[in-house]
Amino acid sequence: MSLRTLPLLFLNLGGEMLYILDQRLRAQSIPGEKARKVMNDIITTMFNKKFMEELFKPQELYSKKALRTVYDRLAHASIMRLNQASMDKLYDLMTMAFKYQVLLCPRPRDILLVTFNHLDAIKDFIYDSPGIMNQVDETFRRLIDTYTCLSDGEFQLIRQTLLIFFQDMHIRVSIFLKDKVQNSNGRFVLPISGPVPWGTEVPGLIRMFNHDGDEVKRTEFTTPGNYVTPEREGSFGLYGDRVLKLGTNMYSVSRPVETHMSGSSKNLASHAKENIVPNPLAKEELNFLARLLGGLEIKNPSGSDTGFRLNLFTTDEEEEHAALTRPEELSYKVINIEATQEPRRREELSCILGELEAEEPRPESSGKGEDLLALMDAL
């Protein structure tokens, strides 16, 4: 498994989360000022400098439960609230969208272009906050420095690591079902037509060479697909045309999105039961995450900020039904962890907290609800 996979997984899933939240904020007609605050707050937290430094260190992927805990904290970094059923649906949509993108990448290196598409779109969500924009640009440059020098073999290992992470996830998503790119069992349908990977030729020709390397024979054959050569390679720079459309916002046009557990996923419930038993190693992993995040806590809005609940379902009834029908083994439950037992750890968290403060100046009238991050006593 690749030790360079975690930043790509975190950033792409985070991008999909922001796409979905933006769509639901618009669908529920949340006032523009509140919607912009939510997006800015989450992006500020997501691209925190200290967290990015830790994230980019070579390391194995977090477990699914630990990663889900991170996004639960991230989604509640502002005045918005999601209940369990909506959070489960949000995570299902995030993971299935990125899984589809990884499967469809023409070549492993294009996973980086998918990541750039997500970050390009995230920058468009930022409203009147140059400090937050600088945070995203800094992560952009870190991605370029870390990944553009990797070999094709290393990118293949990253792709394999991602697919192993996603291999047991087969949630049916209405958009994918309607577009006929997903079967009723939750598995994706891969296309046999379209652009071939950059640097390769359209299939249909066999060339044979002698021992001197001279071409001696050509044989053509027909292919079932309609392949074309890409016009150019996508830009791997800070700015530019990525060419590849994977990773762009598929919710930009308002469409209802539903998720359903496939039969195969339900059958996996028995294998997932081990997650119900408290795992000491898993708890230590989350304690480590607590130190990395340095104080992501669910905020109780106060002062002039009024919190609101976001529903990822069409109606409250649908949300309640989803909560009742989702198998308990497949529902992600947050483990309570203790991040303040040791004095040294408290000092470390306080130090990290100081770096988590947004660089943007805040008006003096802002209430306590304006603070994004505070020292975390318990997740």
Side-chain angles (χ1 to χ4, degrees):
M1 293 179 66
S2 173
L3 301 181
R4 292 288 187 186
T5 308
L6 183 59
L8 299 179
L9 179 63
F10 176 80
L11 292 171
N12 283 288
L13 288 180
E16 288 299 321
M17 181 181 77
L18 290 168
Y19 290 167
I20 298 163
L21 293 179
D22 173 68
Q23 190 270 340
R24 292 311 301 163
L25 288 168
R26 287 185 281 109
Q28 287 189 212
S29 300
I30 301 299
E33 184 178 348
K34 284 188 176 182
R36 289 190 292 269
K37 174 177 170 54
V38 167
M39 299 299 281
N40 278 1
D41 286 355
I42 292 176
I43 295 170
T44 299
T45 307
M46 179 176 170
F47 289 93
N48 165 256
K49 181 179 179 180
K50 184 66 176 179
F51 182 57
M52 285 293 116
E53 289 175 355
E54 295 291 344
L55 192 72
F56 273 80
K57 292 179 180 178
Q59 57 190 300
E60 293 185 358
L61 288 184
Y62 300 153
S63 67
K64 293 181 177 67
K65 184 182 289 291
L67 197 63
R68 167 58 160 71
T69 301
V70 173
Y71 288 109
D72 188 276
R73 294 284 126 182
L74 198 56
H76 293 93
S78 187
I79 57 176
M80 178 190 68
R81 296 293 170 266
L82 297 170
N83 71 13
Q84 181 74 26
S86 284
M87 191 65 215
D88 285 341
K89 179 176 179 178
L90 174 63
Y91 192 69
D92 288 344
L93 289 171
M94 292 159 48
T95 53
M96 293 306 291
F98 185 44
K99 177 181 180 179
Y100 179 67
Q101 293 157 11
V102 173
L103 285 170
L104 261 66
C105 274
R107 53 179 184 166
R109 183 176 296 273
D110 290 334
I111 293 173
L112 192 54
L113 290 178
V114 174
T115 310
F116 288 168
N117 276 336
H118 279 115
L119 265 62
D120 287 339
I122 288 173
K123 290 168 71 172
D124 290 336
F125 289 140
I126 299 171
Y127 178 76
D128 194 24
S129 299
I132 305 177
M133 189 72 73
N134 288 337
Q135 285 181 262
V136 180
D137 282 341
E138 186 175 338
T139 300
F140 237 126
R141 296 185 183 94
R142 194 186 296 270
L143 280 169
I144 293 171
D145 293 342
T146 303
Y147 291 96
T148 53
C149 60
L150 297 186
S151 67
D152 291 336
E154 289 172 304
F155 271 108
Q156 174 60 28
L157 190 57
I158 288 174
R159 181 178 184 272
Q160 183 181 9
T161 305
L162 287 170
L163 292 177
I164 291 173
F165 180 84
F166 288 127
Q167 66 180 350
D168 293 332
M169 299 181 182
H170 304 293
I171 310 299
R172 290 175 295 170
V173 179
S174 60
I175 285 182
F176 295 141
L177 293 170
K178 291 173 183 175
D179 292 343
K180 301 187 185 304
V181 298
Q182 190 179 32
N183 291 325
S184 58
N185 61 3
R187 299 181 184 274
F188 289 113
V189 179
L190 302 184
I192 58 171
S193 297
V196 297
W198 175 258
T200 63
E201 299 179 3
V202 173
L205 177 65
I206 300 174
R207 291 180 291 182
M208 283 160 276
F209 300 83
N210 60 20
H211 62 280
D212 294 323
D214 300 323
E215 184 178 329
V216 296
K217 185 180 179 182
R218 288 192 174 198
T219 303
E220 294 184 354
F221 64 94
T222 58
T223 59
N226 181 23
Y227 299 99
V228 296
T229 303
E231 296 180 3
R232 60 190 181 282
E233 185 179 23
S235 171
F236 286 89
L238 185 61
Y239 306 102
D241 184 2
R242 313 301 177 189
V243 178
L244 193 70
K245 299 305 179 186
L246 295 172
T248 54
N249 191 353
M250 67 178 179
Y251 306 99
S252 55
V253 178
S254 183
R255 302 167 68 182
V257 185
E258 300 300 331
T259 57
H260 306 279
M261 303 301 298
S262 66
S264 57
S265 292
K266 290 179 181 178
N267 292 335
L268 289 170
S270 59
H271 300 289
K273 285 184 178 179
E274 61 190 40
N275 291 332
I276 299 177
V277 181
N279 185 335
L281 293 178
K283 202 158 187 176
E284 281 305 308
E285 185 176 26
L286 293 180
N287 279 325
F288 176 66
L289 278 180
R291 294 196 294 275
L292 292 188
L293 295 175
L296 284 187
E297 69 169 356
I298 296 178
K299 286 291 182 182
N300 293 317
S302 61
S304 60
D305 291 327
T306 305
F308 63 92
R309 185 174 68 88
L310 193 70
N311 188 350
L312 265 73
F313 296 83
T314 307
T315 64
D316 290 344
E317 289 74 16
E318 288 183 16
E319 187 178 46
E320 293 171 2
H321 177 73
L324 294 173
T325 57
R326 186 178 179 91
E328 183 180 359
E329 296 85 356
L330 296 176
S331 196
Y332 301 91
K333 297 188 182 300
V334 178
I335 298 177
N336 290 323
I337 65 175
E338 180 57 49
T340 58
Q341 291 178 344
E342 305 170 8
R344 185 175 59 82
R345 182 175 295 180
R346 292 183 62 93
E347 294 175 5
E348 180 183 357
L349 287 173
S350 298
C351 179
I352 295 174
L353 173 63
E355 299 187 21
L356 286 176
E357 294 297 330
E359 298 178 6
E360 292 298 307
R362 289 173 181 167
E364 296 181 359
S365 60
S366 298
K368 185 178 179 182
E370 284 291 325
D371 294 333
L372 285 181
L373 303 162
L375 189 60
M376 177 173 56
D377 293 322
L379 281 177

